Amino acid sequence: MGIGMALISLALMSYTSQAGSNIHPLILIPGSGGNQLEARQTAGYKPSTLFCNRWYPARKNKDGWFRLWFDLSVLLSPFTRCFAERMMLHYDPDLDDYRNFPGIETRVPKFGSTQSLLYLDPYLKHITAYMAPLVESLEQIGYVDGQTLFGAPYDFRYGLAAEGHPSKEGSKFLQDLKDLIEKASNSNGGKPVILLSHSLGGLFVLQLLNRNPPSWRRKYIKHFVALSAPWGGTVQEMFTFASGNSLGVPLVEPLLVREEQRSSESNLWLMPNPRLFGGQKPLVITPNATYSAGDIPQFLYDIGFPQGVHPYKSRILPLTEKLVAPGVPVTCITGTGVRTPETLFYGENGFDEQPEVVYGDGDGTVNMVSLLALETLWSNKKNQTLKVIPIRGVSHTSILRNDAALDEIMAEILLINSSAEHSAV
Ligand SMILES: *[C@@H]1O[C@H](CO)[C@@H](O)[C@H](O)[C@H]1NC(C)=O
Ligand SMILES: *[C@@H]1O[C@H](CO)[C@@H](O)[C@H](O)[C@H]1NC(C)=O
Ligand SMILES: *[C@@H]1O[C@H](CO)[C@@H](O)[C@H](O)[C@H]1NC(C)=O
């Protein structure tokens, strides 16, 4: 490297630090499975096998904490079983809330920083990269972790519930996120914050905005940018509940993780919404019955998960009935033109076998009707600024690393940062 190069990088450095000090602070809110999660076993832990009692996926620290999500070894079947058991949630009807598997404690590392969102396994950065390319792009336009850039990881197995129902974990996350927003704004001269979510993170953000008064939103929120948000759920989620989802890895036997996936409260939140998918249109077809988004309770019962019916009806359905416009400016950036499960056909052997899938338009995971839901529902709302940016051929997660998508996202962030727009509420 010659002197010329050194001068250029010096010039760049001064440019970025200058821009950095002036830029609107930004908080990243990941999607389901998009951050690391740690666990430890306590005396009350009674695994189904002795093997699972002794096996740990990753190195354990002296207090017994180890990385539960994600470690590559869990993809091998004897380990998958232990992993699934530790990840499992339970709905407790007396508490009317979800809790961990008995004897398992969990925690989210490094709240506030982007550290636990970059890679799911810090020892296998290349193959488990999640938000690393996105964070790199943000740093190139001047963002600095811990100063102007923050991360809000959370225990993505938990969701939120309709008013009147407790949801201890999800509510705690909303409170932590609220505190982080205030801190980020206060430490940046009172500049309101840009929220940038991926997938499920967008559903949490919308709830946070609507659970806080307009005066708070006006003071603290500059703009909400939602990437790949499944506003109305996905047909893919019915697939996961019925037959298990191999985490996208052919090695994983889907039935080994099915019970754990069914137990996740946030997965239940992502069932297709009848208002958007229609109460009549068949999404799952078997020799015995057809199920539309309006038949989810019967569907849960028939796939052999009757425990899900009550929490779905009482906690989830009323939560998803309305997607309330928060008044703060919103941009949705979504992939399109990728084959996405739209109808599932099961044969004589029932739900333990993988279905035949008919595909439609979407981002590979989320159906178009769900990605574009806000446009459909908020089109006549005078106080709601909404911009939708579709990007063809980009999938649900490649939006976080595809060059064209990252350019589009950075252009939108810079536009927002420099604009004089503010909340209409
Ligand atoms: C962000 O906006 C401010 C004005 O609010 C401007 O001074 C700054 O240069 C912008 N940053 C970038 C990286 O464009
Ligand atoms: C259909 O019903 C039969 C008889 O009750 C049952 O054995 C089979 O598993 C069912 N199939 C599905 C896909 O529900
Ligand atoms: C829109 O904003 C105005 C004031 O700016 C307010 O009076 C009105 O109630 C708002 N409408 C809706 C639908 O939120």
Side-chain angles (χ1 to χ4, degrees):
M1 173 162 97
I3 289 170
M5 284 285 276
L7 281 178
I8 289 172
S9 47
L10 259 179
L12 268 176
M13 269 169 62
S14 61
Y15 164 76
T16 49
S17 65
Q18 218 175 20
S21 59
N22 222 342
I23 209 160
H24 281 270
L26 186 145
I27 300 180
L28 291 167
I29 303 96
S32 180
N35 56 256
Q36 296 165 27
L37 205 58
E38 294 177 347
R40 71 174 168 187
Q41 297 173 189
T42 66
Y45 179 55
K46 300 275 182 295
S48 56
T49 65
L50 200 57
F51 173 71
C52 288
N53 205 5
R54 285 199 303 250
W55 176 78
Y56 291 94
R59 60 201 78 185
K60 224 177 4 158
N61 77 8
K62 64 175 176 14
D63 299 319
W65 290 101
F66 60 92
R67 198 164 4 84
L68 175 65
W69 181 264
F70 178 80
D71 186 275
L72 218 59
S73 63
V74 308
L75 300 179
L76 302 172
S77 67
F79 308 138
T80 310
R81 198 182 297 275
C82 306
F83 156 77
E85 206 171 86
R86 289 172 179 149
M87 281 286 277
M88 192 109 87
L89 294 188
H90 278 283
Y91 173 70
D92 180 334
D94 296 330
L95 287 177
D96 182 25
D97 205 355
Y98 283 80
R99 329 180 277 192
N100 278 349
F101 191 85
I104 296 288
E105 286 180 36
T106 47
R107 68 177 186 188
V108 174
K110 303 199 178 75
F111 185 84
S113 152
T114 60
Q115 283 301 309
S116 75
L117 323 172
L118 301 176
Y119 317 97
L120 299 181
D121 178 346
Y123 297 100
L124 288 165
K125 291 189 173 170
H126 186 64
I127 52 176
T128 68
Y130 177 64
M131 280 190 169
L134 176 68
V135 166
E136 219 166 276
S137 299
L138 288 166
E139 286 170 350
Q140 274 163 14
I141 62 169
Y143 279 101
V144 179
D145 189 29
Q147 292 177 24
T148 47
L149 178 61
F150 304 88
Y154 58 101
D155 190 334
F156 47 82
R157 301 168 303 160
Y158 290 91
L160 289 169
E163 222 183 308
H165 297 271
S167 63
K168 190 160 160 258
E169 283 297 321
S171 308
K172 180 173 177 303
F173 169 57
L174 288 195
Q175 185 59 48
D176 291 345
L177 178 54
K178 184 182 181 190
D179 294 344
L180 181 63
I181 290 169
E182 294 178 5
K183 190 187 120 197
S185 173
N186 293 339
S187 63
N188 280 278
K191 273 191 177 355
V193 172
I194 300 171
L195 299 173
L196 177 57
S197 67
H198 179 237
S199 193
L200 175 69
L203 275 64
F204 275 97
V205 169
L206 186 58
Q207 290 291 328
L208 170 84
L209 296 175
N210 286 324
R211 290 176 189 207
N212 283 284
S215 57
W216 184 88
R217 286 176 241 164
R218 197 163 39 235
K219 180 165 188 312
Y220 288 109
I221 309 298
K222 171 76 171 163
H223 203 110
F224 169 26
V225 182
L227 310 177
S228 320
W231 299 115
T234 70
V235 172
Q236 172 80 42
E237 206 59 60
M238 294 178 87
F239 189 144
T240 300
F241 271 83
S243 317
N245 179 329
S246 62
L247 315 168
V249 183
L251 282 171
V252 172
E253 163 55 54
L255 293 184
L256 279 182
V257 287
R258 181 173 68 182
E259 202 189 349
E260 179 266 311
Q261 291 169 337
R262 286 176 173 178
S263 80
S264 156
E265 185 185 21
S266 57
N267 280 352
L268 209 52
W269 193 2
L270 294 175
M271 282 296 201
N273 183 328
R275 258 190 87 192
L276 290 153
F277 283 83
Q280 305 297 323
K281 183 179 182 259
L283 303 177
V284 173
I285 297 171
T286 78
N288 304 342
T290 66
Y291 306 91
S292 72
D295 304 318
I296 302 289
Q298 187 64 46
F299 172 74
L300 291 169
Y301 191 86
D302 290 351
I303 61 173
F305 186 54
Q307 312 89 297
V309 174
H310 175 68
Y312 175 77
K313 279 183 159 165
S314 62
R315 297 167 62 89
I316 304 287
L317 254 189
L319 177 71
T320 57
E321 225 153 50
K322 282 188 297 217
L323 285 164
V324 179
V328 309
V330 175
T331 302
C332 295
I333 307 182
T334 76
T336 69
V338 184
R339 276 159 39 102
T340 306
E342 192 155 288
T343 320
L344 313 175
F345 292 85
Y346 284 92
E348 293 297 336
N349 298 323
F351 296 106
D352 290 352
E353 255 171 35
Q354 299 283 295
E356 296 270 344
V357 179
V358 169
Y359 294 88
D361 196 2
D363 70 4
T365 304
V366 187
N367 312 87
M368 225 52 232
V369 69
S370 180
L371 291 167
L372 299 182
L374 301 190
E375 202 170 46
T376 314
L377 299 172
W378 297 352
S379 59
N380 56 7
K381 294 261 185 302
K382 290 200 173 49
N383 293 354
Q384 182 59 52
T385 309
L386 174 69
K387 179 172 169 184
V388 177
I389 305 177
I391 309 179
R392 261 201 93 71
V394 169
S395 78
H396 191 64
T397 50
S398 71
I399 199 167
L400 298 174
R401 56 176 182 268
N402 174 283
D403 286 337
L406 290 175
D407 287 350
E408 194 84 54
I409 296 166
M410 292 315 121
E412 182 65 9
I413 302 283
L414 287 174
L415 190 66
I416 291 165
N417 172 65
S418 312
S419 84
E421 57 157 24
H422 50 80
S423 162
V425 290

